[in-house]
Every structure is written in structure tokens, then in C-alpha cells.
Amino acid sequence: MASNAAVPFWRAAGMTYITYSNICANLVRNCLKEPYKTEALAREKVHFSISKWTDGKPEKPTLRSDSPVE
Amino acid sequence: MFRQASRLLARTTTATTWRRSRAFSTDLPATPTEDSTFIESWKKVIPNMDPPKTPSSFMTPRPATPSSIPSKITVNFVLPYASELSTKEVDMVIVPATTGQMGVLPGHVPTIAELKPGILSVHEGNDVTKYFLSSGFAFIHANSVADIIAVEAVPLDCIDPALVQKGLAEFTQRLGTATSDLEKAEAQIGVDVHSALNSALTG
């Protein structure tokens, strides 16, 4: 197996497999018929809070409710 | 020393000696939970101490491969949020591997296949169930168990053809106007997925 074998185009462009797979999944979800589409998008919503730490202390956290971006 | 020997023998599982290189995969026993070559060489050098456990004794043994090919394959088809098929016995599955549509029958050679967006069809007698997968992997084991994992899988009638056409047109246009490598890659992925969806609906 050649270590410099033809890589997939997405890896050549700097994308990882997970990013590729998530993009494919989002595209498929966006092509669904109505009740399934809203269920699928609702299922994939994420809600999280991020806080940056400086000098060993957390700063104010930001709350994010991102719906999946393509 | 004989006391230890009987204890060691009692610990051995049903498997016979395990050779490092297997020429044929007919009638494989389950992988033993002890590394017998290591234990034998240990006993030659240090017969009075118990040999330590090796990592293989902590692992669950690989299940035995039957010598005759079973009549059905067992399919486990899972998604991150649901288990679509769980140890279902079917006659054949056709998976959309990156190297093309691959039919898997009982007794298939063990394979790991990366999947591209396409149709997975499960054949059971005269019934065929089809799902469109976004991407994933298929692991086919020596004992005719197939594990198929996908990120998103939908039955074909949940797909809206109008949205597919619209997406295909949009991404083809984006591919034409893309400048950076990343944009081109994303547009290309869009075109691939939508063309696969299109051919799934029409094929």
C-alpha cells in the first residue's frame, strides 16, 4: 500500500473524515420530506456553553445553541 | 510445579494451541485467552513463578469461525441515534462501498469497507429493504456477521425529489464559482451527495 496513494479530494483539501461525514449527513437531512426533516434537524441541535480560561480562572461563559451548519 | 501445571491447564479455554500465522481460515477456534507460546517459554526459563497475564488474557476472545458457511448473514445496522437492525438474519446485503456496490453473502471474506453516499439494500427472501446512507463503514467478519454503521440513513420514500434537484443545481453552480480548495471540496461533496440521492430516487 503506497503511503502517497491518491487521497480522497476532501482530504487533499485539508478536511478530516469526520467533517466530510458530517457534511454528507447534513446534506442528506436537508433533502428529507417535511415531518422527517424537522425531526432530524431537531435531533441534531446542540446546546452548549463555552468559557475561556485565563490565569487559572474561567471567564464568563457564552451559551451557544448552534443548529448544525452545513 | 505440578500443582501449578494443573491450575494452568484448568484455565485454558476450549481453544487449542494458537499459531501466529494461520494459513487457512477454515474451522478457526475462538482466540484463546492465554498466550500459550509466551507461557511455554516462561516456564522453561522460570518454572517456579506463575507467568504474568498478557494483554490477550484481558481481551474478550474473538468468536469462533464455523467451518461450514452459515446460510444467512447476521446484520447489525446502527446509527448514532438508533439501532436500525440488530442481529437480523438475512440472505444478502448490498452496501455502497467507495469501490462500488458490494454484495455481501454468507461466508464473505472479512472486509472493512468505507461507504460512500448511496443505497444499502437488505435482501431477505423476496423482501428488499432499501436505505439511503450518508456515509459510514461496513465491517464484515469471518463468522458472517456484518456491522454497518452510518451517520444518517433514511428509507427512500422520506427523500424529497424537489429538494434534491434544487440542491444539485445549487452545488453545481457553487462548484463552478468556488475559489479556495476548501470551497471546491465542499461543493464537490454537495454535488456527489445530491447526485447519489438523485440516482437513488430514479434508479
Side-chain angles (χ1 to χ4, degrees), chain B residues 28-48:
Chain B
L28 287 179
T31 46
T33 52
E34 286 186 338
D35 194 341
S36 53
T37 47
F38 172 74
I39 291 177
E40 281 161 21
S41 4
W42 176 282
K43 283 196 289 196
K44 283 195 200 109
V45 182
I46 316 169
N48 293 328

Side-chain angles (χ1 to χ4, degrees), chain A residues 9-10 12-13 15 17 20-25 27-33 36-37 40 43-44 70, chain B residues 81 114 117 132 134-137 151-152 154 157-160 163 171 181 185 188-190 192-194:
Chain A
F9 63 90
W10 38 268
M15 206 188 278
Y17 179 80
Y20 164 72
S21 188
N22 284 334
I23 291 178
C24 289
L27 292 172
V28 171
R29 274 181 219 125
N30 284 331
C31 288
L32 296 178
K33 283 186 185 150
Y36 308 107
K37 184 171 178 179
R43 187 202 317 135
E44 296 298 323
E70 282 193 21
Chain B
Y81 51 86
E114 184 193 335
F132 185 87
S134 67
S135 61
F137 287 92
V151 179
E152 193 64 56
V154 293
D157 45 11
C158 296
I159 305 175
D160 186 342
L163 290 174
F171 279 95
D181 260 348
Q188 183 64 51
I189 296 174
D192 286 344
V193 172
H194 286 97

Side-chain angles (χ1 to χ4, degrees), chain B residues 5 13 17 22 29 37 64 78 88-89 94 100 126 128 135 137 142 151 153 163 180 183 185 192 197-198 201 203:
Chain B
T13 56
T17 52
R22 273 194 277 266
T37 47
V78 292
K88 182 156 197 263
E89 305 242 326
I94 302 184
N126 283 327
V128 179
S135 61
F137 287 92
V151 179
L163 290 174
S180 73
E183 270 179 45
D192 286 344
L197 278 164
N198 214 359
L201 290 174

Side-chain angles (χ1 to χ4, degrees), chain B residues 99-110:
Chain B
T99 50
Q101 296 285 112
M102 181 166 79
V104 180
L105 291 161
H108 196 279
V109 62

Side-chain angles (χ1 to χ4, degrees), chain A residues 5 9 17 19 42 55 59-60 64:
Chain A
F9 63 90
Y17 179 80
T19 321
D55 295 332
E59 294 175 0
K60 186 169 188 307
R64 290 177 51 176

Side-chain angles (χ1 to χ4, degrees), chain B residues 24-30 62-72 74 106-108 141-145:
Chain B
F24 302 102
S25 64
T26 50
D27 215 332
L28 287 179
R62 186 189 303 163
T65 305
S67 56
S68 61
I69 296 175
S71 60
K72 286 192 181 280
T74 316
H108 196 279
H141 304 285
N143 55 356
S144 294
V145 171

